[in-house]
Amino acid sequence: MMMKPLGSAAHAMEETIETVIRDAPLFEGGRDVVYGPVSGGISNENWRVKRKDGSGDWFVKVPGNGTEMFIDRDAAMDASRKAAAAGLGPRVHDDLAHRGVEINDFLPDRRASTHSDFADIENCRAAISAYRTMHALPALGLTKTVFDMIDEHAQQVAELGGRKYREDAWLRLNTQLAREAIDASGVDLVASFNDPMPGNFMIGEDGSIMLIDYEYASMNDRCYDLGIWFGEMFFTPERELELIEAYFGEVRPEIISRVTVHKALADVKWSLWSMVQLEVSRLDFDFHKYGMWKKMRARSIMEAPDWATHLRRL
């Protein structure tokens, strides 16, 4: 990672992080620090800030342009603090929290996972352990189910005059069918992570996993957390059954259905999120391609012959 001294900003995002460094008491006005970008995020501007003498090493998250539309920074800090207290996440520093900037201890003894890491069942079991810890956290200050997220993004796309998918009405119809089925069966609210990008799983040398990036965390159905993770990791049906058993201690048809339905809903949510980001983000990322992929995978689940069966047995 290329680290730069304060005062060498070459573009707007570097100017922003330099302002943060000067303003945060933790960094003492930028004395003896260097900074560099951390790759992998698609919402915010992420940075590593270090003291040259090695006495401090931090991860700094600067809110991405427009993210205030769908991220409650106070709620994110609440989740981060509770996760840190449980040993699930890194230490949180409150400097500039009032401006939405999150500062954590960097985790140099851990590495961000990749999709290939989760081909190993032991890494999957470590992640299940992390999810159990997450779901047992004290109640978070924000309740936001996948349906709340979908409604929010749909309204934002409309307000921004953003692009709509050709199948928009069809997706909305199937989302409503899922909403009615889940409402009838009851929502199992727990403290949920909601954002299982591989880079958010930090693997230690002992094989344990810590979670980072709690900005999408909320009280949500636990099966959403499992469903979105299964989809993100492209698990086979056989691996999904293994992990359902690892989490619940058993495999029942209604659990499989609940996870499957939430997997489809997660893709609907992120496909709409992508259309919002396409309008507001300044990150160099192909949000259109990402959204189309999510939309097509949601269709693949909702168009399958067993979709109606899944809805009936929730």
Side-chain angles (χ1 to χ4, degrees), residues 163-181:
R163 304 182 195 184
K164 288 189 176 182
Y165 299 107
R166 183 173 55 188
E167 306 93 332
D168 182 65
W170 184 88
L171 287 168
R172 283 190 284 110
L173 171 62
N174 280 277
T175 297
Q176 182 59 30
L177 293 174
R179 187 194 307 255
E180 292 171 1

Side-chain angles (χ1 to χ4, degrees), residues 59-75:
F59 176 84
V60 181
K61 181 192 302 177
V62 178
N65 190 49
T67 55
E68 70 281 355
M69 297 174 65
F70 42 83
I71 295 173
D72 182 327
R73 297 290 169 182
D74 290 337

Side-chain angles (χ1 to χ4, degrees), residues 97-110:
H98 62 287
R99 284 166 37 182
V101 175
E102 185 171 339
I103 304 172
N104 304 102
D105 283 350
F106 200 80
L107 300 174
D109 57 339
R110 291 178 176 269

Side-chain angles (χ1 to χ4, degrees), residues 17 28-29 72 92 125 128 139 141 164 180 231 237 269 271 277:
I17 185 59
E28 299 178 351
D72 182 327
V92 180
R125 293 186 189 281
I128 286 291
K164 288 189 176 182
E180 292 171 1
K269 175 262 190 284
S271 68
Q277 288 287 69

Side-chain angles (χ1 to χ4, degrees), residues 179-239:
R179 187 194 307 255
E180 292 171 1
I182 289 174
D183 284 348
S185 65
V187 180
D188 181 16
L189 289 178
V190 296
S192 298
F193 190 46
N194 297 334
D195 188 19
M197 287 189 64
N200 290 340
F201 294 79
M202 303 297 291
I203 301 177
E205 292 182 3
D206 62 354
S208 65
I209 285 179
M210 293 177 69
L211 301 179
I212 60 171
D213 196 351
Y214 293 86
E215 63 190 8
Y216 292 102
S218 68
M219 299 299 290
N220 194 5
D221 195 298
R222 75 177 73 236
C223 283
Y224 177 79
D225 247 358
L226 297 180
I228 188 176
W229 180 48
F230 288 3
E232 184 67 35
M233 299 304 166
F234 301 95
F235 290 140
T236 64
E238 293 76 19
R239 176 55 56 84

